[in-house]
Amino acid sequence: AQSVSQHNHHVILSEAASLELGCNYSYGGTVNLFWYVQYPGQHLQLLLKYFSGDPLVKGIKGFEAEFIKSKFSFNLRKPSVQWSDTAEYFCAVKHNNAGNMLTFGGGTRLMVKP
Amino acid sequence: DAGVIQSPRHEVTEMGQEVTLRCKPISGHNSLFWYRQTMMRGLELLIYFNNNVPIDDSGMPEDRFSAKMPNASFSTLKIQPSEPRDSAVYFCASSPTAGTPGGPSEQYFGPGTRLTVT
């Protein structure tokens, strides 16, 4: 079965620090990849997505992610975080045989200290 | 577009009572998903409908849980009888059907229902 691993469960950074959150998936075929963000007390919102083409994907709020097929990875990055980026971040994967189902990682809680 | 609509936003009930959560997907979306989120278990997919038909209900925890989608614009998740361990935030999400198999289809989440069973 498809699985998604987010190895960092909790990350604490100071404002202006750089961010990289890891995401690895297990399926070897064609995949669609997503990062969602959940701000405190809110629902999940899409940050960015990869379907095909340029493996470096730009999202909202200065986030980007890079799809590295050989490493089965889709890490999320931001060069300089802000206090307002405090949230939980979820990586999700959809593979061709899954219909519209997404497999979510366990999430990474990011706290940005002002 | 109003997005995915869920009601109620908060529900507090006593153990043993029946709870019904409601979801209205985005108009035109053909897939609907129910998730449960807890601190201990994270985000879990409970059930997934495509064109009103349940496709995968392997995530439904037990027979106390049931879900229906009588039409394209409405779904319910029912817990009967409810137990304290059912306390969680329940999210509904919808997704447009891909035009071709494996095509892109992100999910749009509703605001969630925070359920507390005492």
Side-chain angles (χ1 to χ4, degrees):
Chain A
Q2 174 75 263
S3 67
V4 179
S5 297
Q6 293 182 240
H7 304 293
N8 312 105
H9 298 294
H10 292 90
V11 174
I12 301 174
L13 295 173
S14 298
E15 275 196 315
S18 64
L19 170 72
E20 181 160 2
L21 302 182
C23 173
N24 289 90
Y25 61 94
S26 61
Y27 183 67
T30 302
V31 293
N32 302 146
L33 300 155
F34 307 82
W35 275 98
Y36 282 83
V37 60
Q38 185 178 28
Y39 297 104
Q42 296 190 26
H43 62 283
L44 277 74
Q45 304 170 48
L46 184 69
L47 259 186
L48 49 78
K49 59 190 177 187
Y50 171 80
F51 293 145
S52 62
D54 189 345
L56 184 62
V57 180
K58 304 281 188 188
I60 60 172
K61 304 187 180 186
F63 286 90
E64 65 178 32
E66 185 175 12
F67 170 49
I68 303 179
K69 189 173 181 179
S70 61
K71 295 184 177 180
F72 299 91
S73 70
F74 189 56
N75 292 356
L76 181 71
R77 298 195 293 250
K78 184 170 183 178
S80 176
V81 294
Q82 300 173 310
W83 175 78
S84 57
D85 294 324
T86 294
E88 188 161 15
Y89 293 81
F90 293 91
C91 180
V93 177
K94 184 180 88 70
H95 61 80
N96 275 0
N97 299 329
N100 285 341
M101 280 178 58
L102 297 182
T103 301
F104 281 87
T108 298
R109 288 185 180 271
L110 171 66
M111 179 184 293
V112 180
K113 297 184 294 184
Chain B
D1 194 327
V4 176
I5 298 172
Q6 289 186 248
S7 65
R9 295 293 307 278
H10 300 272
E11 175 81 32
V12 180
T13 191
E14 291 183 348
M15 184 174 68
Q17 297 298 307
E18 177 180 297
V19 174
T20 300
L21 310 182
R22 297 172 176 81
C23 175
K24 176 178 167 53
I26 292 173
S27 177
H29 284 192
N30 298 90
S31 298
L32 184 141
F33 307 80
W34 282 103
Y35 292 90
R36 178 172 67 177
Q37 187 179 38
T38 61
M39 288 291 291
M40 290 294 293
R41 301 173 71 93
L43 191 66
E44 303 172 276
L45 176 66
L46 300 177
I47 188 169
Y48 152 45
F49 292 87
N50 198 36
N51 293 322
N52 312 339
V53 176
I55 303 299
D56 186 339
D57 65 354
S58 58
M60 295 286 263
E62 47 198 275
D63 292 345
R64 297 184 297 106
F65 285 69
S66 62
K68 294 182 180 179
M69 192 164 186
N71 56 61
S73 59
F74 183 65
S75 176
T76 59
L77 177 69
K78 186 177 292 187
I79 308 172
Q80 166 63 18
S82 58
E83 296 182 4
R85 61 193 167 117
D86 301 331
S87 297
V89 180
Y90 291 81
F91 288 104
C92 176
S94 70
S95 176
T97 300
T100 56
S105 53
E106 65 204 61
Q107 292 183 15
Y108 297 79
F109 282 76
T113 295
R114 182 173 294 277
L115 172 65
T116 303
V117 183
T118 61

